[in-house]
Amino acid sequence: MTDIRGLGYLKVQSQDIPRWRELTVDCLAMQETTGSDPDGLYLRMDERAARLVVVPGDSDRVLAVGWEVRDQFALASVGRAVEAAGYGVKMLDQDECDERRIEAGIRFDDPAGTPVEVFFGPVLDHSPVLTGHGQQFITDGQGMGHVVLPTTRPDETVAFYTEVLGFLPRGAIRIGGPTSPPPVRRVRFMGVNRRHHSLAVCPAPHGEAPGLVHLMMEVDSLDAVGRALDKVNKAGFTLSSTLGRHTNDKMVSFYVRAPGGWDLEYGCEGMLVDEEHYTAEEITADSYWGHDWSGSEPLAAFTTP
């Protein structure tokens, strides 16, 4: 079993902080708070000081995908496993830990070049969480949500997360459908808790993209999803996908294009996995209904769940 308990935080760089603020605070109703960068955008979902951090820069890219472990012993265990697999590990210094509001953490790159951080001891904010739609974000025991990462080295990347970091396989979807000709490529889903997947790995080039396909956040009601969808449409953001229900995690969600070219998935009613009975499955359609991607880029068609 993995030492990693869930997706802890995501830090990205953007050329358009005001538009990010409009999307995440005004439309998706996250709570804005403060952090070490006075020009940054710090977004709260629960008692964590900030789950999503957006800082200004001259390009749009992922700066850190942060995974949480239980304590210092689990952190040391992950560090040893990564080093034994031949990857360089750097301890975060005190200033870096204070910036992230954690006790301690390490940093390394995965085989796709994604900057990964593993940490323990998040600083908590015990004041009420003031969300704009009166919603609660589903994080307790499940982490922040899930991320989908692109890679040009899919086999190596999946092996790293499963064999080195201990993520559990949670099924796949074959790109191009169940009868697509060889070479067969699959989007692989992986979990670390009862959320169906906290991570998916997609065979796709990074190119000029920010190194992330999408981030999913889950809320506690369909009404909150609907209110957010109304706000997104009114504010003129592009929907990458219409509302729909996924086949693997059963999530009812929509996808909105964030500044910089990647998506935020906003949904509810995600399934909980009972690991005692679960077996990995291959889905043949990403959704039971909805999730019309006809207006989005081609990559979206096989990176959606």
Side-chain angles (χ1 to χ4, degrees), residues 7-13 20-21 23-25 28 30-35 40-46 48-55 61-64 100-101 137 144 147 212 215-217 258 262-264:
L7 180 64
Y9 57 76
L10 181 68
K11 183 178 181 181
V12 301
Q13 178 178 287
W20 262 100
R21 179 176 287 108
L23 174 58
T24 55
V25 178
L28 303 184
M30 303 177 77
Q31 180 183 349
E32 183 175 2
T33 182
T34 58
L41 178 62
Y42 295 82
L43 298 161
R44 189 177 172 206
M45 301 168 67
D46 52 17
R48 305 299 174 88
R51 289 280 195 176
L52 177 59
V53 176
V54 187
V55 296
R61 60 191 180 98
V62 174
L63 298 179
R100 290 156 177 76
R101 288 178 274 197
F137 287 94
M144 178 185 181
V147 289
L212 186 75
L215 164 71
M216 185 284 296
M217 296 174 286
W262 50 288
D263 289 338
L264 298 181

Side-chain angles (χ1 to χ4, degrees), residues 225-246:
V225 174
R227 293 185 189 106
L229 182 56
D230 284 349
K231 289 273 191 178
V232 162
N233 284 324
K234 187 174 181 180
F237 286 96
T238 299
L239 282 186
S240 297
S241 170
T242 61
L243 192 70
R245 186 186 290 276
H246 282 308

Side-chain angles (χ1 to χ4, degrees), residues 148-151 154 157-158 161 186-190 199-203:
V148 179
L149 304 177
T151 179
T157 303
V158 170
Y161 279 101
R186 289 180 172 89
V187 179
R188 299 279 184 185
F189 306 97
M190 290 164 274
L199 170 68
V201 170
C202 171

Side-chain angles (χ1 to χ4, degrees), residues 11-295:
K11 183 178 181 181
V12 301
Q13 178 178 287
S14 175
Q15 301 176 73
D16 194 348
I17 297 292
R19 191 64 168 158
W20 262 100
R21 179 176 287 108
E22 185 178 4
L23 174 58
T24 55
V25 178
D26 297 345
C27 298
L28 303 184
M30 303 177 77
Q31 180 183 349
E32 183 175 2
T33 182
T34 58
S36 58
D37 186 339
D39 298 317
L41 178 62
Y42 295 82
L43 298 161
R44 189 177 172 206
M45 301 168 67
D46 52 17
E47 283 197 323
R48 305 299 174 88
R51 289 280 195 176
L52 177 59
V53 176
V54 187
V55 296
D58 58 4
S59 63
D60 299 277
R61 60 191 180 98
V62 174
L63 298 179
V65 180
W67 299 99
E68 184 175 358
V69 296
R70 185 185 189 280
D71 52 30
Q72 66 269 37
F73 306 109
L75 182 66
S77 175
V78 171
R80 289 192 298 267
V82 173
E83 287 183 329
Y87 296 85
V89 175
K90 173 186 176 295
M91 288 294 301
L92 300 178
D93 63 31
Q94 190 60 57
D95 288 342
E96 291 171 321
C97 290
D98 289 344
E99 177 190 358
R100 290 156 177 76
R101 288 178 274 197
I102 58 175
E103 183 171 336
I106 58 176
R107 182 180 178 90
F108 50 88
D109 288 346
D110 74 7
T114 302
V116 178
E117 296 180 356
V118 180
F119 71 95
F120 82 94
V123 175
L124 301 184
D125 179 347
H126 301 297
S127 64
V129 183
L130 304 176
T131 58
H133 299 319
Q135 82 279 25
Q136 290 184 345
F137 287 94
I138 305 300
T139 59
D140 188 25
Q142 299 185 54
M144 178 185 181
H146 74 235
V147 289
V148 179
L149 304 177
T151 179
T152 55
R153 303 161 70 181
D155 293 340
E156 187 176 346
T157 303
V158 170
F160 176 79
Y161 279 101
T162 54
E163 297 173 22
V164 178
L165 296 184
F167 282 64
L168 295 171
R170 293 272 173 82
I173 184 170
R174 183 167 172 169
I175 297 172
T179 60
S180 60
V184 174
R185 298 183 302 154
R186 289 180 172 89
V187 179
R188 299 279 184 185
F189 306 97
M190 290 164 274
V192 291
N193 52 50
R194 295 196 68 194
R195 189 184 296 281
H196 179 273
H197 57 282
S198 295
L199 170 68
V201 170
C202 171
H206 281 260
E208 298 300 319
L212 186 75
V213 177
H214 76 249
L215 164 71
M216 185 284 296
M217 296 174 286
E218 184 178 357
V219 293
D220 62 340
S221 74
L222 181 59
D223 286 341
V225 174
R227 293 185 189 106
L229 182 56
D230 284 349
K231 289 273 191 178
V232 162
N233 284 324
K234 187 174 181 180
F237 286 96
T238 299
L239 282 186
S240 297
S241 170
T242 61
L243 192 70
R245 186 186 290 276
H246 282 308
T247 54
N248 58 358
D249 65 1
K250 317 308 179 190
M251 185 80 66
V252 177
S253 64
F254 67 88
Y255 292 69
V256 57
R257 182 58 48 93
W262 50 288
D263 289 338
L264 298 181
E265 180 186 5
Y266 198 82
C268 64
E269 301 182 9
M271 69 174 287
L272 296 177
V273 170
D274 180 353
E275 195 58 47
E276 184 177 353
H277 304 287
Y278 179 81
T279 59
E281 301 164 322
E282 181 167 299
I283 57 174
T284 55
D286 70 339
S287 302
Y288 291 109
W289 55 266
H291 285 143
D292 180 358
W293 293 85
S294 59

